Structures are given as C-alpha cells and as structure tokens.
Amino acid sequence: MFEPIIEAINTQDYPTAYQLLAQCKQQEPDNLWVPFYEASLEEAQGNLSTANEHYRQLLPQVVNAKLMAQIRQGIQRIAKLEETQRKNALSLVMEEAGSLEMGMLVLEAIPNELKQMAAQNFGKIMEIDAYTARLQLPSRSWRLYRTGAIGKLRFYEQQLNQGQIPCFTALTRDISALKVHQVLYIESVEPKITVVYQPKKGQRDIFTFDCSEVGQRVEGLLPLFEECVDVGLRGKLERKTKTSDYAKFCDLHLPQHKMIIRLCDQTYRFLEGVAFSEVQKATDGRATARDSWHHILQFIKEKTPDIPVRAEFTPFGESAIDFQELLKLINPRIDLLRREDTPWDAAFHLYSGLAFLKTF
C-alpha cells in the first residue's frame, strides 16, 4: 500500500504524496510506517529539522527491525547533510573580508527554567553533549566562551541566536580602540562635571562632560593581592599569594565620545577637588576612603538615575581568566600599585568594553 507513496516521493510529486499519506492515516491510524513516510517526505523536500524531529519522536515507539533500521538511516543521512551544509556555509563566511580578525564570542545569561531546551540546541550547534552544554550556559551573567577568527565566531553567533541562545561577538581591536580617562579627582560639578585625569604617568589633563552624555555605568571589584607565609605539610613554611582586599571601580560610558571615564577608590585623590561630604577633606581621621567613595557614587547615581548599570563583573571575570592569550592583548588602562601584573585588570577592562560595544 506504500509503493505509490514511495514513487511519489522519489519523483518529487509531493502533493500526491501528501494526499496518499492522508488517506493511509485515515485507514490505518496506528500504522507506524505512515509517520515514517511523513518524515521521509519532509526530508525529501529539504525540511531537515522537521524530518529529524519526526524520526526521533518515532524511534522509541518502533519494534519492527526493518522500520527501526530505516529510521536510523534517515537520522544518519540528515546528520551528514546538516554537517555538509554547516561546513559549506562556514567556508563562505571565512572568505569574507576581515573574517580572520581576532574576536570573541560571549554567552548571555539564560534563566534556569529555559536551560534544558537551550542546552539541547547549544550542544547540537557546538557539537557537545547536552549535559556539558547545560554546564557551560551561564545563569548569572555573561560568559566569555570562545576566541578566534571573528568570521567563525559570527557564524556560531547566528546559529546560537536562531536556537534561542542569547550571545554576541566583538572584535578585540574595537575594545582597544575605546578611549579611557583614569580619573584622579573630580575638579568641579557645575555647570558640568570636570575631571582631572592622568593621560600618562606623571601627567595631568582635564575633561568636561554633561551628565546627560553618560549612557551607562559599569561597576566591579578587582582583587588586591599580598604575599604571606603559611605553614604547609610537615610544618614546612610556604610563601603564598592571597587576596587581601578589593579595589572598587566605576566606569561611566560616554557613547558620543567613544570614551570611558574610569574612577577607582584606590587611586582617587579624596583630598583634592570637590568634596562630596562634609568630612571628606578632614585630616583628623574622621573621613575614610570607604565613606568618601560611597558619597561619590551617591552623587553619580543622583545625577544619572535612569541609565543602565552593569555590575556582574566577577562571574564574567572568572570565565575570562581562562583566556590568558586574549587578555595579554588587552591594555587594561588600570593604574593599581601591584607587585606583578594580574589578568584580572584586563578582564575588567574587557567586561566594561564589551558592555560599551554591545549597548552603543
């Protein structure tokens, strides 16, 4: 009874195939060969995703060895076709100008209730198992997932977004192109804000901007390290590095200037410029850097109440630390007094830069 259907599919007479299948479905609704040929018809028309889904839904219901073998052959055919299509599409993308430039792919946070379906799509696209895929999808903040040629990463970006997995790409050179003013102190706030910054070590310059020019704020904590001596196994003394404190950062993004105004509680000169509290410039110990920093942030928040704020740096930084070669290419524009360089500085600048590029 299925020979006419097979012939209609093979001769690409798809309307006839649909009509015959509808008749068979009415006559034998429980015959599993009917949904098999429905899947075969979708495959023949190039609807590979639909056909694959039908094959996989049908497979657990089948006990007939011949039908089971044909379903598996259909799944294998589709897998090979999809792989060939992916390779051809990627080859075309990599032929485009600029496709070999260094870039990065960043995954955005996905709510836990959506992770199961997202993990299946992610695993299929990235060719990993669903369990590993679920572990790699972030829940709290962005995750730096992959670096390399921007053409390939944009190819993945398109596929992931189609699979309902939010992500974005960026060029390393675009991060480096952003201007950064490291603020020493705020000199005045009326009628506009004037900051004194350090263009180079030992130099000073000023920059003035209006609060309406601030499009976004990025906040983060960077670890400060100290060396200590600890007692290890068998009472042996060991020299270790541990986190002693955290430096607080606040970046103000000025999209019109393609600029970041960067403030840090460790380098801000609280005794100079505008006082944001009555005791900020007191020399009798009443003012603390913590309190003074708090008042500066309060002033910024009051002046820019409606702008977006990104403050999920730490989990992003934990993912970025694994990409040491990328971080070496990034000038962090951070002037903390450190015994040795740390990739955490470049990771924060990368986070702030990505936030800038994605928003503006």
Side-chain angles (χ1 to χ4, degrees), residues 203-252:
Q203 297 181 355
R204 290 192 183 190
D205 204 343
I206 63 170
F207 181 77
T208 300
F209 62 95
D210 192 271
C211 290
S212 63
E213 297 179 79
V214 181
Q216 183 172 240
R217 188 169 79 249
V218 174
E219 297 178 3
L221 301 175
L222 283 179
L224 300 173
F225 304 104
E226 68 177 7
E227 289 188 355
C228 63
V229 177
D230 197 5
V231 179
L233 294 175
R234 300 177 183 176
K236 185 178 180 180
L237 296 179
E238 296 178 350
R239 188 173 296 277
K240 294 183 177 181
T241 300
K242 69 175 185 178
T243 301
S244 61
D245 201 354
Y246 290 90
K248 301 178 181 68
F249 279 82
C250 175
D251 279 7
L252 304 179

Side-chain angles (χ1 to χ4, degrees), residues 5 15 40 81 117 125 168 179 244 291 304 322 329:
I5 296 174
S40 298
L81 279 170
M117 180 60 70
I125 294 167
F168 63 96
K179 292 181 286 186
S244 61
D291 291 337
T304 57
D322 294 332
L329 300 176

Side-chain angles (χ1 to χ4, degrees), residues 8 26 29 49 61 96 132 159 192 209 212 225 243 248 261 277 288 299-300 335:
Q26 286 183 341
S49 179
Q61 307 173 47
E96 295 177 2
T132 303
Q159 290 199 314
K192 297 182 178 182
F209 62 95
S212 63
F225 304 104
T243 301
K248 301 178 181 68
I261 302 295
S277 66
T288 65
F299 167 78
I300 292 172
D335 191 25

Side-chain angles (χ1 to χ4, degrees), residues 98-132:
S99 61
L100 296 178
E101 283 197 71
M102 181 69 171
M104 62 208 79
L105 172 65
V106 180
L107 302 176
E108 299 183 65
I110 296 178
N112 285 324
E113 60 269 20
L114 302 179
K115 266 196 172 183
Q116 184 173 356
M117 180 60 70
Q120 293 177 1
N121 294 335
F122 186 61
K124 182 179 179 181
I125 294 167
M126 306 309 298
E127 299 179 341
I128 55 178
D129 64 90
Y131 176 77
T132 303

